[in-house]
Amino acid sequence: MKLIVITAEHFFDKEPEAINRLFENGMEVLHVRKPRAPVGRVIHLMERIDAVFHPRIVVPNYELTSLFAVKGIHLSRRDLDLWQPGRTGRRLSLSCSCHSFEEIAAAVVDYMFLSPIFDSISKAGYKQGYTPEQLIDARDRHLINDRVIALGGITAERIPAVCRYGFGGVAVLGALWADGNTDGLLQRFDELKTACSI
């Protein structure tokens, strides 16, 4: 099962160093998500991440794809219609976020996030969006498959359930970053990685 890491929404001290350490310890894919940040601050973050890891990073806008040799671009559902595959001059992975089974059925992307699977850890009040029965039904109808990544409230303890629902992977944020506290970061990452490999 794939393990995708999403950055904390807010910048914090030693974030680039923490990201580099995660890559050094086996992180395969990082989604940079700083929704309210000026692009200049995101560029500054990217510049401080070792360039050898850039091909494993997914960014949220075209400007960043022209400045860095990244893996891909993650667009909102509303921006997906504006996607121009040849715009960057090279092949990028394309992903998006979905919040219903109808959206995942309609999305023509390499992979997509479906959320919230469980109550969010990082967003207060962002509650589970699907019952176990709905997720099993979606799996049985092949709506949930290898291209669908579970997001929302993902912890190491919940990954076996995610696997039973047929997801191709998980995306983690709150369970890893713990409000920007990097104490124990690698241990939390190892627990998530181990759960994904069982």
Side-chain angles (χ1 to χ4, degrees):
M1 172 171 280
K2 297 182 191 77
L3 172 60
I4 296 174
V5 172
I6 302 174
T7 62
E9 286 193 20
H10 306 289
F11 297 93
F12 59 89
D13 289 344
K14 299 186 179 176
E15 184 175 15
E17 294 84 353
I19 289 170
N20 284 326
R21 282 203 323 268
L22 287 171
F23 275 124
E24 289 162 1
N25 283 274
M27 179 169 64
E28 293 183 12
V29 179
L30 174 74
H31 275 240
V32 173
R33 184 176 178 274
K34 303 288 185 184
R36 288 174 286 284
V39 72
R41 286 203 69 191
V42 180
I43 290 170
H44 182 64
L45 172 66
M46 289 291 295
E47 289 172 341
R48 294 174 62 205
I49 297 170
D50 192 325
V52 73
F53 300 131
H54 289 177
R56 290 152 65 182
I57 296 175
V58 176
V59 294
N61 65 45
Y62 285 107
E63 183 175 353
L64 295 167
T65 66
S66 66
L67 296 173
F68 302 99
V70 296
K71 171 185 175 62
I73 187 167
H74 186 89
L75 299 175
S76 67
R77 289 285 299 137
R78 64 182 171 277
D79 291 338
L80 206 50
D81 293 337
L82 306 174
W83 169 242
Q84 300 169 9
R87 181 173 173 178
T88 61
R90 58 193 161 83
R91 171 72 174 108
L92 295 173
S93 71
L94 175 63
S95 58
C96 71
S97 296
C98 298
H99 303 284
S100 72
F101 298 130
E102 293 75 23
E103 286 182 353
I104 63 172
V108 182
V109 293
D110 295 300
Y111 62 95
M112 65 213 79
F113 296 159
L114 179 66
S115 70
I117 303 305
F118 304 103
D119 292 354
S120 176
I121 298 167
S122 60
K123 294 180 180 177
Y126 197 51
K127 298 294 186 185
Q128 175 177 336
Y130 315 93
T131 66
E133 293 77 20
Q134 288 172 318
L135 293 168
I136 290 167
D137 179 64
R139 176 201 67 194
D140 293 347
R141 291 187 293 133
H142 305 289
L143 291 172
I144 295 176
N145 55 48
D146 286 348
R147 294 187 316 118
V148 184
I149 307 298
L151 172 64
I154 303 297
T155 63
E157 295 76 26
R158 290 174 171 162
I159 287 173
V162 171
C163 190
R164 286 193 299 275
Y165 295 139
F167 286 94
V170 295
V172 297
L173 196 166
L176 182 64
W177 294 113
D179 296 325
N181 180 359
T182 57
D183 293 340
L185 176 70
L186 294 182
Q187 180 181 341
R188 292 191 296 274
F189 177 69
D190 284 341
E191 289 169 359
L192 290 160
K193 191 167 61 167
T194 299
C196 284
S197 64
I198 293 174

